[in-house]
Amino acid sequence: MFSGISRAAGMWHRVIWLSCICSAFFVCHSRGQQINIGAFFYDDELELEKEFMEVVNAINGPESEQTLRFNPLIKRLKPEDGSVMLQEQACDLIDNGVAAIFGPSSKAASDIVALVCNNTGIPHIEFDVSDEEHQEEKPNHQLTLNLYPSQVILSKAYADIVQNFGWRKFTIVYDADDAKAAARLQDLLQLREVHNDVVRVRKFQKDDDYRVMWKSIKGERRVVLDCAPGMLVELLNSSSEFGLTGQFNHIFLTNLETYTDHLEELSADNETFAVNITAARLLLNPEPPAYSQPYGYVIQKENIVYESNESPRTLLHDLIHDALQLFAQSWRNASFFYPDRMAVPRITCDFAASGGRTWAMGRYLTRLMKATSGVNSTNFRTSSLQFDKDGQRITFNIEVYDPLDGIGIAIWDPRGQITQLNVDAKVQKKIIYRVATRIGPPYFLKNETAVELNLTGNALYIGYAVDLIDAISQEVGFEYVFVPVADQQYGKQDKDTKQWNGIIGEIVNNDAHMGICDLTITQARRTAVDFTVPFMQLGVSILAYKSPHVEKKLDAYLAPFGGEVWIWILISVFVVTFLKTIVARISKMDWENPHPCDRDPEVLENQWHIHNTGWLTVASIMTAGCDILPRSPQVRMFEATWWIFAIIIANSYTANLAAFLTSSKMEGSIANLKDLSGQKKVKFGTIYGGSTYNLLADSNETVYRLAFNLMNNDDPSAYTKDNVEGVDRVKKNEGGYMFLMETTTLEYHREQNCDLRSVGEKFGEKHYAIAVPFGAEYRSNLSVAILRLSERGALYDLKQKWWKNPNASCFEEPDPDATPDMTFEELRGIFYTLYMGILIAFLIGITEFLVYVQQVALEEKLTFKAAFNKEIRFVLCVWNNKKPIVAGTPVSSLRTTPRRSLDKSLERTPKSSRRIVIGRSSEEMREMPQGSGSKSSSITNNTKVEQQEARC
């Protein structure tokens, strides 16, 4: 039993020993084996062949350290070799037992190599751009990988980059002979189908006159150019005469090998070549391997090999490197897991075509390579190396860079994100910015003093725009020169030629770096140029003629009524006064007892004499009132009728007085655009082709459309070429023409011309800004400077400086919606009338006083001067309201005494002794002679009688 067990154990020991020997044999065989790899290169691709050999040698390493060795088998092709020759060469490589075939480049017009490899199971690795596979071709290319970026993903990358540029309008230019150009530009070309007027496409061929193509897009500022590197310099040179290489133009080069051309030759000693050029290339790892140092440029001409000192390392060099590294890495991985299956069997194309077995490990190697991720791997020159199931490279990074100096600008990744690179700004030559503008106050005008002194340059101009640009230049730090446009236009696009004129045309044609004046931001202009943030906000209003202010006459307060009305009023006052007196005298009730206590009066009195009746009549019409009123019905009826007349006259006068003394109600009934459009007497217009013109032309609002149609139908034309012409036309027509213009410019002209006024509120909000080319890097700096000036109040100060006219003394126009304030100018006639009445009253009073003083002087035997001084002292004692009466007082001074008392007093007092003692105190009265005392007692008795009558 134990012997059987021993024999079994010995047998297992021999099996294990044999297995170890076999494993060691296969391992040693694998480590020391030679792997043949095939490659196709054309005769003019010797530099690629050299790169291939350098990479193979680097992978193999020193001979003493080699664990495996790749043996390159090179097949050289001629440009005229077709698919038959390619098939024969590929089959020959397979007969020699190659484990993979690299190439050929895109010069091969057939995919026969991919078909042969797919039928034999040999991996096929491409490193150059190829045609996009159709769905029916994919089963025949299952063993093919291509390290060149997929055209579909590359097209998406280009579209993302252009979108990141912020281009709204551009032209795509590509080689019509390049069959693959449409594929890598398909996302951009699809934009043309949606925006045909924004995205244009131009094609060229190698032998064409490129100037014809460039002329067709003259004025274009943004170009996507796809061409071979060898054609680039010639294409750009031919575009110079059409302004495409001018400053602030932008050309985006899509060929991933643009850096192989010598673009620095274009910018060297060529001041006109200032275009902003950016290009795309695959992002490479920063540290290249040691063997990829620059080497000589190998070319072959007439079967002779030449080597130059230049170093034209291209993208294909790096892709060949990555292709070999990818295959070597996959081979090592497969050898680790399946060391006994890595031997390449003897396969012939005829055997495979007849249904024989293919190399199974070839398909396994292909799957390993497709599953490889080259993210953050130092073995590969290009980053993010990944493939889809069809072998197309779908993961890579694109670097956007400046091909003139090689500085990277941004990086695109497969997620569509673009990351800006922080690089030091390159030193640029000093630029003097050209500022396009137009003559037009107060923004830009010539300095007459500078013209007389023959000054030139910026010193020749003054204005709001001049000061604003100067302030911005100090904020940002740049030099500038003003360039007034020849046609004096703001900028309008011709419908036929699609060309812009004026300031916008200067910027579009690269003749100016920026434009400033009263330039309004409009949607049409935004399609041609870009704008900074606004420096002024405004609207549209109506400029109208204002009749010159005429100083009111002294009798201006009489204007509410015509002269004949005043005459009829005066006649009415006198007639009513006389008739009222007659009616009152006829009436029994208006005759009354002067002494109510005396029941048997000797006389009756009637208070309605001419003086009292005239006073009541005038007081009624003046709404002043009166202390005496009529008693009889007929007189009251008469007075009530007069009161009705007086109320109507007084209120009518008051209601019309303000309107006649101010000009607010005398300028017409037009208060807004609706009123202006609803009449035909007053014509109106605006600048032809300006922003206000476009506002009315493009609007769907009824009032705007009506106004636009009325202006179009006017003959002669209602339009003007500029604001100055419109203002002159308003002044010349003196109310027969009104002009629609921006409120800021309207305010300026109104300040300068006292005979102009604005009508209505502003409408159609607008903004003034500085126009710049699309993509101008300095736009943000200008905007920041404008915001800073606004925050500091500098913009407000500039407007006050150029808008306000310190020498103007225009009549301030009252607000028509507010109650007008009546000034002394309108009412001075009333004041003068008051002063005249007071003066006449004083003259009458002074005359009466002087006559009275003369009488006193005669009676008291005083000089006129002494009597005047004594009487005037009493008059000036305004606090003394008591006036003693003595005999000998003049009758004229006793008119305030009741008539009956006065008669009785006069009966007792001789005429020679009657007078009023004015200016004498009570002591003086006691010291008078006795004769005077009896007279005084008589007057006292009379006074007592009067007091008793008053109590009755």
Side-chain angles (χ1 to χ4, degrees):
M1 178 179 177
F2 286 101
S3 61
I5 294 174
S6 299
R7 288 196 298 271
M11 183 181 67
W12 280 109
H13 281 295
R14 286 193 295 272
V15 171
I16 294 173
W17 183 76
L18 290 173
S19 298
C20 291
I21 292 176
C22 292
S23 297
F25 172 77
F26 283 115
V27 170
C28 293
H29 178 72
S30 176
R31 287 182 177 178
Q33 66 179 330
Q34 176 177 295
I35 301 99
N36 293 332
I37 54 176
F40 287 100
F41 295 102
Y42 283 86
D43 288 342
D44 57 354
E45 296 176 341
L46 296 181
E47 73 281 1
L48 297 180
E49 181 181 338
K50 182 177 180 180
E51 173 74 9
F52 186 85
M53 298 300 297
E54 291 283 350
V55 177
V56 170
N57 293 333
I59 293 174
N60 289 337
E63 187 174 354
S64 59
E65 300 177 3
Q66 290 181 357
T67 56
L68 57 85
R69 182 176 182 274
F70 291 106
N71 180 37
L73 302 179
I74 305 298
K75 293 293 184 179
R76 293 184 178 176
L77 303 173
K78 297 182 182 298
E80 60 271 15
D81 290 342
S83 59
V84 176
M85 179 60 67
L86 282 173
Q87 182 179 359
E88 292 178 358
Q89 298 283 11
C91 290
D92 185 60
L93 289 174
I94 293 174
D95 288 342
N96 289 321
V98 294
I101 295 179
F102 295 83
S105 65
S106 60
K107 296 178 182 179
S110 174
D111 62 344
I112 189 63
V113 177
L115 296 176
V116 170
C117 290
N118 188 68
N119 290 333
T120 57
I122 303 299
H124 177 222
I125 305 172
E126 294 179 329
F127 50 82
D128 199 359
V129 60
S130 62
D131 296 330
E132 288 296 313
E133 295 180 347
H134 298 289
Q135 191 65 32
E136 59 273 10
E137 295 176 345
K138 292 182 178 180
N140 298 326
H141 295 170
Q142 294 181 4
L143 271 72
T144 300
L145 286 88
N146 193 341
L147 273 78
Y148 200 92
S150 168
Q151 302 295 284
V152 175
I153 306 300
L154 196 60
S155 174
K156 179 180 181 299
Y158 291 153
D160 292 340
I161 294 171
V162 170
Q163 183 179 6
N164 183 259
F165 287 156
W167 292 1
R168 300 185 182 93
K169 178 182 178 182
F170 58 92
T171 299
I172 303 172
V173 179
Y174 67 93
D175 188 356
D177 296 331
D178 187 354
K180 305 176 182 64
R184 60 176 168 267
L185 299 174
Q186 58 181 335
D187 280 21
L188 292 174
L189 292 174
Q190 287 175 358
L191 294 176
R192 185 196 181 191
E193 299 177 1
V194 181
H195 306 288
N196 189 28
D197 57 337
V198 176
V199 179
R200 297 183 291 180
V201 176
R202 295 293 184 271
K203 301 178 184 179
F204 64 89
Q205 292 180 321
K206 186 174 183 180
D207 297 330
D208 288 346
D209 185 357
Y210 302 141
R211 294 177 302 174
V212 176
M213 176 193 66
W214 294 126
K215 184 178 180 180
S216 67
I217 60 172
K218 182 180 179 181
E220 181 61 81
R221 307 297 301 276
R222 310 289 176 256
V223 175
V224 177
L225 179 58
D226 185 278
C227 67
M231 306 174 64
L232 182 58
V233 173
E234 184 179 0
L235 277 167
L236 293 180
N237 274 330
S238 62
S239 69
S240 297
E241 63 179 290
F242 302 103
L244 273 80
T245 58
Q247 193 173 19
F248 306 116
N249 281 8
H250 195 171
I251 298 179
F252 176 53
L253 307 177
T254 59
N255 194 295
L256 295 179
E257 299 185 64
T258 298
Y259 54 83
T260 62
D261 209 339
H262 303 287
L263 291 178
E264 62 276 4
E265 298 176 359
L266 292 172
S267 59
D269 300 327
N270 186 359
E271 295 183 356
T272 61
F273 189 86
V275 62
N276 180 22
I277 299 181
T278 53
R281 64 186 176 190
L282 278 183
L283 180 65
L284 304 179
N285 287 325
E287 295 296 333
Y291 57 82
S292 65
Q293 295 300 321
Y295 44 81
Y297 182 30
V298 182
I299 59 175
Q300 180 177 350
K301 294 181 179 179
E302 298 179 355
N303 297 324
I304 301 176
V305 177
Y306 299 89
E307 185 172 356
S308 69
N309 294 324
E310 298 178 356
S311 176
R313 185 174 183 84
T314 66
L315 175 62
L316 298 185
H317 290 77
D318 296 318
L319 294 181
I320 287 175
H321 169 274
D322 289 353
L324 287 166
Q325 288 286 358
L326 177 64
F327 177 75
Q329 177 179 303
S330 300
W331 182 273
R332 292 190 184 97
N333 292 335
S335 298
F336 180 81
F337 292 104
Y338 303 101
D340 55 341
R341 299 183 183 181
M342 300 307 296
V344 182
R346 303 292 296 181
I347 303 175
T348 63
C349 292
D350 296 337
F351 177 74
S354 62
R357 294 182 60 186
T358 61
W359 186 34
M361 290 305 295
R363 297 187 179 276
Y364 179 69
L365 284 171
T366 302
R367 289 197 298 271
L368 285 179
M369 287 188 288
K370 289 181 179 180
T372 298
S373 175
V375 179
N376 298 326
S377 175
T378 58
N379 292 331
F380 302 105
R381 289 285 292 132
T382 58
S383 59
S384 301
L385 184 64
Q386 290 183 348
F387 303 88
D388 61 8
K389 63 180 182 179
D390 298 320
Q392 297 296 317
R393 183 174 182 176
I394 58 174
T395 304
F396 52 88
N397 291 331
I398 294 292
E399 181 183 16
V400 182
Y401 71 103
D402 187 342
L404 296 177
D405 53 19
I407 296 178
I409 301 173
I411 295 177
W412 175 90
D413 61 36
R415 295 172 297 177
Q417 298 180 355
I418 296 180
T419 305
Q420 302 295 326
L421 298 179
N422 296 322
V423 296
D424 296 334
K426 60 182 180 180
V427 179
Q428 296 182 348
K429 62 182 180 180
K430 190 175 182 180
I431 299 175
I432 298 179
Y433 291 85
R434 294 168 59 87
V435 182
T437 184
R438 62 181 295 277
I439 302 294
Y443 302 95
F444 190 81
L445 59 159
K446 287 186 177 181
N447 188 348
E448 299 299 334
T449 304
V451 173
E452 294 176 358
L453 297 176
N454 295 323
L455 299 180
T456 59
N458 295 338
L460 190 60
Y461 307 107
I462 58 174
Y464 177 87
V466 176
D467 290 351
L468 179 58
I469 288 294
D470 182 67
I472 293 175
S473 67
Q474 295 179 14
E475 289 284 334
V476 178
F478 65 88
E479 295 184 9
Y480 61 92
V481 59
F482 286 106
V483 184
V485 294
D487 57 6
Q488 287 294 297
Q489 298 297 315
Y490 295 95
K492 185 177 184 295
Q493 188 179 31
D494 188 271
K495 295 181 179 180
D496 298 327
T497 63
K498 303 299 182 182
Q499 298 297 316
W500 287 85
N501 64 0
I503 296 175
I504 303 299
E506 292 290 306
I507 299 175
V508 170
N509 297 331
N510 299 325
D511 294 327
H513 300 123
M514 64 185 77
I516 184 173
C517 65
D518 47 338
L519 186 63
T520 308
I521 302 175
T522 64
Q523 183 59 37
R525 290 170 182 167
R526 288 181 67 90
T527 63
V529 297
D530 206 349
F531 287 93
T532 63
V533 296
F535 60 81
M536 191 175 294
Q537 183 176 353
L538 61 144
V540 179
S541 191
I542 305 172
L543 181 69
Y545 181 79
K546 179 176 66 175
S547 300
H549 177 67
V550 179
E551 187 175 351
K552 303 299 181 183
K553 297 180 181 180
L554 292 177
D555 59 350
Y557 66 95
L558 300 176
F561 293 153
E564 67 279 5
V565 176
W566 288 113
I567 293 175
W568 280 108
I569 291 176
L570 291 176
I571 293 175
S572 299
V573 169
F574 287 113
V575 171
V576 168
T577 300
F578 179 75
L579 294 179
K580 191 187 301 182
T581 303
I582 300 301
V583 172
R585 294 181 68 84
I586 295 174
S587 173
K588 179 181 179 181
M589 295 181 65
D590 283 298
W591 290 92
E592 57 183 354
N593 185 3
H595 302 290
C597 295
D598 187 0
R599 298 183 180 275
D600 187 17
E602 298 178 359
V603 294
L604 295 176
E605 293 184 351
N606 192 322
Q607 63 181 349
W608 297 108
H609 47 78
I610 292 296
H611 299 87
N612 288 347
T613 306
W615 177 254
L616 178 59
T617 302
V618 174
S620 299
I621 202 169
M622 295 296 181
T623 66
C626 187
D627 292 337
I628 55 177
L629 295 173
R631 296 187 178 188
S632 62
Q634 60 269 32
V635 180
R636 289 184 177 182
M637 183 63 185
F638 196 102
E639 190 63 33
T641 305
W642 175 251
W643 286 348
I644 295 174
F645 172 82
I647 289 174
I648 295 175
I649 291 295
N651 288 319
S652 299
Y653 176 85
T654 304
N656 293 317
L657 180 61
F660 277 89
L661 295 183
T662 60
S663 58
S664 60
K665 301 297 182 181
M666 303 174 68
E667 297 290 353
S669 59
I670 298 175
N672 48 47
L673 184 61
K674 183 178 180 180
D675 296 340
L676 189 61
S677 303
Q679 54 82 46
K680 296 183 179 180
K681 180 180 179 181
V682 179
K683 305 296 181 182
F684 60 96
T686 187
I687 298 177
Y688 181 76
S691 59
T692 305
Y693 174 91
N694 294 328
L695 171 67
L696 301 178
D698 300 336
S699 176
N700 292 324
E701 190 172 341
T702 304
V703 176
Y704 291 178
R705 294 300 305 174
L706 178 59
F708 181 74
N709 294 332
L710 289 174
M711 289 189 296
N712 282 337
N713 296 329
D714 280 346
D715 187 22
S717 176
Y719 299 116
T720 64
K721 64 180 181 180
D722 54 29
N723 285 324
V724 175
E725 181 183 348
V727 172
D728 293 340
R729 195 166 173 180
V730 170
K731 294 191 293 184
K732 182 179 179 181
N733 286 271
E734 298 184 353
Y737 180 82
M738 294 186 179
F739 190 65
L740 306 181
M741 63 191 307
E742 284 83 1
T743 52
T744 51
T745 309
L746 186 148
E747 291 170 5
Y748 170 77
H749 286 287
R750 195 177 62 179
E751 285 285 338
Q752 307 301 317
N753 300 275
C754 295
D755 52 353
L756 296 177
R757 65 188 179 95
S758 62
V759 175
E761 298 181 354
K762 69 178 182 179
F763 58 92
E765 183 177 344
K766 298 182 180 181
H767 299 88
Y768 289 160
I770 301 175
V772 296
F774 281 125
E777 299 176 355
Y778 52 86
R779 173 186 172 276
S780 59
N781 294 334
L782 296 178
S783 297
V784 171
I786 292 173
L787 292 176
R788 289 176 179 172
L789 293 174
S790 178
E791 292 171 355
R792 294 203 301 263
L795 296 182
Y796 175 79
D797 294 339
L798 283 179
K799 185 176 180 182
Q800 293 298 310
K801 172 184 176 182
W802 289 103
W803 262 252
K804 294 297 180 182
N805 184 8
N807 299 324
S809 58
C810 298
F811 172 73
E812 291 294 333
E813 183 180 353
D815 185 2
D817 297 328
T819 302
D821 296 330
M822 299 176 68
T823 63
F824 179 76
E825 180 183 349
E826 288 88 19
L827 298 178
R828 71 184 190 279
I830 300 176
F831 285 92
Y832 292 159
T833 303
L834 172 64
Y835 300 154
M836 186 60 65
I838 294 174
L839 178 61
I840 293 173
F842 261 89
L843 290 176
I844 295 174
I846 291 172
T847 302
E848 183 180 2
F849 178 74
L850 293 176
V851 172
Y852 170 74
V853 169
Q854 180 64 29
Q855 292 178 0
V856 171
L858 292 175
E859 293 180 4
E860 296 186 5
K861 298 181 180 180
L862 299 173
T863 63
F864 181 82
K865 181 178 180 180
F868 179 81
N869 291 335
K870 182 178 64 174
E871 297 299 333
I872 197 66
R873 280 198 300 269
F874 178 79
V875 170
L876 295 178
C877 295
V878 295
W879 57 87
N880 188 359
N881 296 326
K882 295 182 179 180
K883 183 173 64 175
I885 300 177
V886 296
T889 299
V891 178
S892 60
S893 66
L894 300 176
R895 291 178 180 174
T896 57
T897 305
R899 184 174 185 85
R900 184 173 182 183
S901 299
L902 182 59
D903 293 340
K904 293 181 178 179
S905 176
L906 292 176
E907 290 175 358
R908 301 187 185 99
T909 304
K911 294 183 178 180
S912 60
S913 302
R914 299 172 187 171
R915 70 180 181 87
I916 300 174
V917 182
I918 300 177
R920 293 184 180 181
S921 62
S922 58
E923 289 80 3
E924 292 177 329
M925 295 292 293
R926 286 193 295 268
E927 292 176 358
M928 292 181 63
Q930 292 297 324
S932 300
S934 60
K935 298 176 182 178
S936 176
S937 60
S938 175
I939 294 176
T940 303
N941 294 330
N942 293 334
T943 302
K944 292 180 180 180
V945 173
E946 293 172 1
Q947 291 177 352
Q948 293 176 358
E949 293 177 351
R951 283 194 294 269
C952 293

